[in-house]
Amino acid sequence: MPARPATVTTRSAWHDVPRLQVRQFAAIAMAEAPELADEILREIRREYPHLPVVLDESGEPMALVGIRRAIEVFVQHLENSDYSSGRPTVPPGVFQEFGRGEGLGGRSLDSLQAIYRMGVRLAWRRFADIGQRVEIPPPAMYELVDAGYEYLDGLVDQSVRGYAEAAARQAGERLRLQRRLMELIFAEHHRGDPADALTERAARIGWPLPEKVAVGVLLRPAREAVAPAVGQGVLLDMEYEQPRMVVPEPDAAGRPELLHRALTGWAGAIGPPVPLADAGKSLRWAEAAVGLMERGLLPAGEVLHCTEHTEALVLLQPEELIDDLALRCLAPLTHCGPTHGRRLAETLLAWLETRGGAPEVAARLGVHPQTVRYRLRQIRELWGAEIDDPDRRFELELVLRAQRLRGTLGETRGRGGT
């Protein structure tokens, strides 16, 4: 049976440094920690003058306290144990708060990490000088550099947590303010005083008041769907079961294309462009369109624009009125039978839409002109002189168009009838 290969262990060069030299190194480093912290903070302030100075209860800069404490913890760890036994940790507080302040100040994590790398670089210069003074071997000092950057990772982790907390809090606050703004936009009462509450709320999230808006209502592709990237300026509220959005200046250059890309995979409807004060009207049209989509009366699986489906929205919305009108207008078809009644209704609608003779109607329906003439004679027999009344023809066309949209052309019963 072959022997197992021996486990290779790498011995730490720092571990081989005599304890007396380690204690000397630590004592000097600890004594110079305040001066080193001052130097690091001065360089940081010189390179990044935008950083705010936050004082603690004693009036000392919190950043200076944090840097000094970080140096002391690192040095103590080197003195009391082999640094490879675990990463030293600084109690959360200063560095987490530093990251939180960077997040609230709108600065990036890149600048934060650059600041920390500068601090480690300055600390390493000082430690290298101390190492020469107490004759620490170069291999051990190289390991000290690695330990310093590993320690830095821990400090960065704390700051990233603070940064993330600030970002989440800012995002949550913005969403709350945005939701309140949208509620006010949809309310009717803001029309009388558009210059105060609406302007103030819009300013709090940096939203310029547009002249026109279009309101969208969306259907989620999945319950946990991620919010679509509709771009800056578009207000989006995902808290509703059917998310809402307010699109400013919907006809602006590039806006339709951006929305089309962002809403790929989503369904819903965008109401007509209206003045800002009438946003509630655009919302109602979008909600009506979504309702028709859910019933299969408008195309599903995409985001529709109400302005492209005006006929359906106008004719399919007042269902009870259209049904009642159908009962009265189409009463002559009651005894014709369903198939024959549907054919007469198709012919009547084609005649009303074309205002032409038998050849034009026949071409529209794809039947022989003689068939059309036969049906038109029957229609005149059923409706009599009423078929020449402009008001009656308008009502008939209205009813028949609505029925065609529903797929019930020629039916003479109400939706609740028997």
Side-chain angles (χ1 to χ4, degrees):
M1 184 174 181
R4 293 181 179 179
T7 302
V8 178
T9 58
T10 302
R11 187 172 181 80
S12 165
W14 184 265
H15 183 79
D16 292 336
V17 177
R19 296 303 300 168
L20 177 61
Q21 286 177 283
V22 171
R23 286 194 291 270
Q24 288 176 333
F25 179 92
I28 297 173
M30 193 68 76
E32 295 183 9
E35 180 184 345
L36 175 57
D38 280 330
E39 179 187 352
I40 292 173
L41 184 58
R42 279 197 307 272
E43 282 300 304
I44 290 174
R45 294 288 301 160
R46 187 177 67 82
E47 290 290 330
Y48 301 92
H50 66 271
L51 292 178
V53 177
V54 181
L55 305 180
D56 63 10
E57 296 178 355
S58 65
E60 192 173 22
M62 290 185 64
L64 181 63
V65 175
I67 294 170
R68 185 169 63 239
R69 179 59 179 151
I71 295 169
E72 292 170 350
V73 168
F74 182 70
V75 172
Q76 287 171 350
H77 188 75
L78 291 176
E79 180 182 17
N80 297 331
S81 64
D82 176 9
Y83 62 79
S84 63
S85 64
R87 178 194 293 176
T89 58
V90 176
V94 172
F95 290 92
Q96 194 162 336
E97 187 61 36
F98 186 39
R100 190 176 295 116
E102 288 294 278
L104 293 174
R107 292 175 287 273
S108 71
L109 282 173
D110 291 339
S111 63
L112 186 67
Q113 292 175 331
I115 289 170
Y116 283 4
R117 285 193 294 270
M118 175 189 293
V120 168
R121 187 169 62 251
L122 294 172
W124 162 243
R125 290 176 185 171
R126 179 65 65 99
F127 287 165
D129 177 67
I130 297 172
Q132 287 184 330
R133 281 184 258 164
V134 298
E135 299 182 344
I136 301 292
M141 293 303 298
Y142 297 150
E143 288 186 3
L144 187 63
V145 175
D146 291 337
Y149 278 104
E150 183 181 358
Y151 183 52
L152 172 67
D153 289 341
L155 302 182
V156 170
D157 287 345
Q158 288 190 23
S159 292
V160 167
R161 281 196 295 272
Y163 190 95
E165 289 173 8
R169 187 160 66 241
Q170 281 186 315
E173 178 64 10
R174 179 178 175 81
L175 286 175
R176 185 184 69 83
L177 294 174
Q178 179 175 291
R179 191 170 300 119
R180 291 182 61 193
L181 173 60
M182 291 177 71
E183 290 171 355
L184 187 57
I185 288 173
F186 297 141
E188 299 290 334
H189 63 77
H190 80 268
R191 295 185 191 176
D193 189 14
D196 293 334
L198 194 61
T199 302
E200 186 272 332
R201 288 193 189 181
R204 292 185 68 181
I205 63 169
W207 194 68
L209 291 180
E211 291 186 8
K212 284 194 171 185
V213 296
V215 180
V217 175
L218 303 177
L219 294 170
R220 300 175 189 269
R223 187 162 188 82
E224 301 302 326
V226 177
V230 291
Q232 282 190 329
V234 177
L235 304 180
L236 178 65
D237 190 348
M238 295 291 292
E239 291 300 309
Y240 286 91
E241 182 64 26
Q242 295 178 342
R244 298 175 176 182
M245 64 180 181
V246 177
V247 183
E249 310 300 350
D251 296 324
R255 180 81 75 188
E257 293 79 10
L258 174 63
L259 283 178
H260 178 73
R261 290 194 299 270
L263 296 173
T264 299
W266 285 75
I270 299 177
V274 295
L276 179 60
D278 293 325
K281 294 179 180 179
S282 186
L283 172 62
R284 286 194 290 274
W285 281 113
E287 289 176 331
V290 166
L292 293 175
M293 291 175 69
E294 292 179 315
R295 292 171 50 198
L297 297 176
L298 280 179
E302 58 182 313
V303 177
L304 305 179
H305 290 265
C306 290
T307 51
E308 298 173 2
H309 299 272
T310 305
E311 181 185 7
L313 288 167
V314 170
L315 295 180
L316 295 178
Q317 277 301 104
E319 294 185 71
E320 294 79 7
L321 293 175
I322 292 293
D323 288 340
D324 181 67
L325 187 60
L327 284 173
R328 292 184 283 110
C329 288
L330 302 183
L333 295 177
T334 302
H335 303 293
C336 290
T339 301
H340 188 52
R342 178 176 55 78
R343 289 172 180 167
L344 289 179
E346 289 174 346
T347 303
L348 175 56
L349 180 55
W351 177 69
L352 291 169
E353 288 179 331
T354 62
R355 294 296 191 269
E360 290 84 1
V361 175
R364 191 180 186 95
L365 297 177
V367 298
H368 196 279
Q370 190 60 33
T371 302
V372 171
R373 292 187 184 96
Y374 170 72
R375 293 179 186 174
L376 289 176
R377 283 196 299 270
Q378 284 190 299
I379 287 170
R380 284 199 169 274
E381 290 173 1
L382 290 171
W383 273 274
E386 291 184 357
I387 202 66
D388 294 318
D389 184 299
D391 291 336
R392 179 53 56 90
R393 286 203 303 266
F394 174 77
E395 290 177 341
L396 281 168
E397 186 173 354
L398 190 68
V399 166
L400 293 171
R401 280 177 176 264
Q403 287 192 338
R404 182 171 59 190
L405 287 167
R406 292 185 194 169
T408 61
L409 189 60
E411 290 188 7
T412 56
R413 297 174 299 173
R415 296 177 67 83
T418 57

